Amino acid sequence: TEHITISGEGKIGSSVRFALLTDLHSCYYGKDQSQLIRMIDKEKPDAILLSGDIFDDRLGQKNARIFIEGVADRYPCFYVTGNHEFWSKKEDEVKEFLASKGVTVLEGNARNISINGNDIDICGVDDPTYMTESEWEERLDGADKESNSGNYRILLSHRPEKVEAYKKYDFDLILCGHAHGGQWRIPFTKRGVAAPNQGLLPAYVDGLYDLDNGSEMIVSRGLARERMPYPRFFNHPEVVIIEME
């Protein structure tokens, strides 16, 4: 796990803890996904935020489903699609499964949650795999309009490279995956060698970034293991624990 502490921008009065999971790609984490579930239980998050590619287009759905079934009845869970859910052509089936387990599926909208007396809006957009830029920005508009700027607002979105779009809004925190930590991480830096849609020496692959509109963005290195085209290098899979106070 990686722990990142951020301020609640004056909108958070008592501490809140989120677990950010991305890019599981239906990988195996022990019998009944016990390694992963134990890691989360140990951290006692108030909610689990799933920023895409939890399911995969080549590995079957089994491991992802077992994981969801293991956590969804005990934690509020919020989910957005990644590109691999769309590539699988099973995104509707995945969303129906998640909804049936009580997971909130976000696709250009927002949901309010009260945690320890804090009003937090969790917003989310589908991955833009098969959308035009304007279609995708309509989803961002929808998420923006359904949320209340007086509340602390979190945007779940799979893609970290879309910072120019995010900067048009005033979400407090944007949570992404997709970059897999830059695949091979350059030791002692937050830089990776290559990432999808960012190319070589990508800018946004790991940890906390301050955007110049005042938003913060956290990018998780994700949980993909056996699904990676190349082995990870200085780049362990991770669950990100976000502490807000």
Side-chain angles (χ1 to χ4, degrees):
T1 50
E2 179 179 3
H3 287 74
I4 295 177
T5 301
I6 56 176
S7 88
E9 304 295 323
K11 299 175 179 177
I12 298 291
S14 57
S15 63
V16 180
R17 174 177 279 209
F18 291 109
L20 169 62
L21 276 82
T22 75
D23 303 278
L24 176 62
H25 288 281
S26 209
C27 289
Y28 178 73
Y29 275 87
K31 186 176 187 304
D32 296 332
Q33 299 295 69
S34 57
Q35 293 169 0
L36 188 51
I37 292 169
R38 205 160 44 233
M39 197 187 308
I40 291 165
D41 287 345
K42 188 170 149 234
E43 299 290 345
K44 300 185 171 61
D46 295 302
I48 295 175
L49 307 178
L50 303 156
S51 282
D53 283 358
I54 303 303
F55 293 76
D56 193 60
D57 57 324
R58 283 194 282 171
L59 295 182
Q61 294 186 8
K62 182 182 169 194
N63 291 327
R65 285 180 175 242
I66 289 169
F67 167 69
I68 295 295
E69 286 166 347
V71 295
D73 58 345
R74 294 180 298 127
Y75 302 99
C77 295
F78 297 84
Y79 165 89
V80 294
T81 49
N83 52 302
H84 284 263
E85 278 97 351
F86 282 103
W87 287 354
S88 75
K89 304 284 193 285
K90 291 180 178 169
E91 69 278 6
D92 292 336
E93 179 190 312
V94 161
K95 288 178 179 181
E96 281 165 24
F97 164 75
L98 290 165
S100 77
K101 297 297 172 188
V103 175
T104 301
V105 175
L106 297 165
E107 41 194 359
N109 54 335
R111 290 285 178 275
N112 179 261
I113 183 172
S114 179
I115 299 175
N116 305 334
N118 301 295
D119 253 338
I120 298 171
D121 288 348
I122 314 280
C123 314
V125 286
D126 267 318
D127 188 79
T129 312
Y130 297 128
M131 292 183 214
T132 64
E133 198 67 24
S134 64
E135 284 171 331
W136 187 67
E137 291 204 3
E138 277 174 29
R139 306 287 170 100
L140 279 171
D141 290 341
D144 182 48
K145 290 190 180 103
E146 276 200 22
S147 57
N148 178 343
S149 58
N151 295 341
Y152 190 88
R153 300 197 302 163
I154 296 173
L155 175 70
L156 301 186
S157 178
H158 188 52
R159 301 207 185 206
E161 77 276 7
K162 298 282 191 185
V163 285
E164 292 309 314
Y166 304 142
K167 288 197 294 201
K168 296 175 187 173
Y169 302 87
D170 60 351
F171 296 107
D172 294 293
L173 180 64
I174 300 145
L175 302 178
C176 307
H178 190 51
H180 291 199
Q183 208 69 45
W184 299 341
R185 209 153 58 117
I186 300 163
F188 316 113
T189 74
K190 289 204 313 184
R191 299 304 292 259
V193 172
N197 304 100
Q198 292 189 67
L200 292 175
L201 299 179
Y204 306 106
V205 298
D206 175 21
L208 179 64
Y209 301 90
D210 291 313
L211 306 189
D212 54 22
N213 68 328
S215 297
E216 293 179 299
M217 180 170 79
I218 292 174
V219 184
S220 169
R221 299 197 303 266
L223 288 157
R225 295 203 291 198
E226 62 267 30
R227 176 61 175 81
M228 304 278 272
Y230 313 102
R232 286 173 174 265
F233 185 67
F234 288 109
N235 177 16
H236 298 300
E238 68 176 2
V239 172
V240 179
I241 302 299
I242 301 162
E243 309 262 11
M244 277 196 299
E245 33 194 53

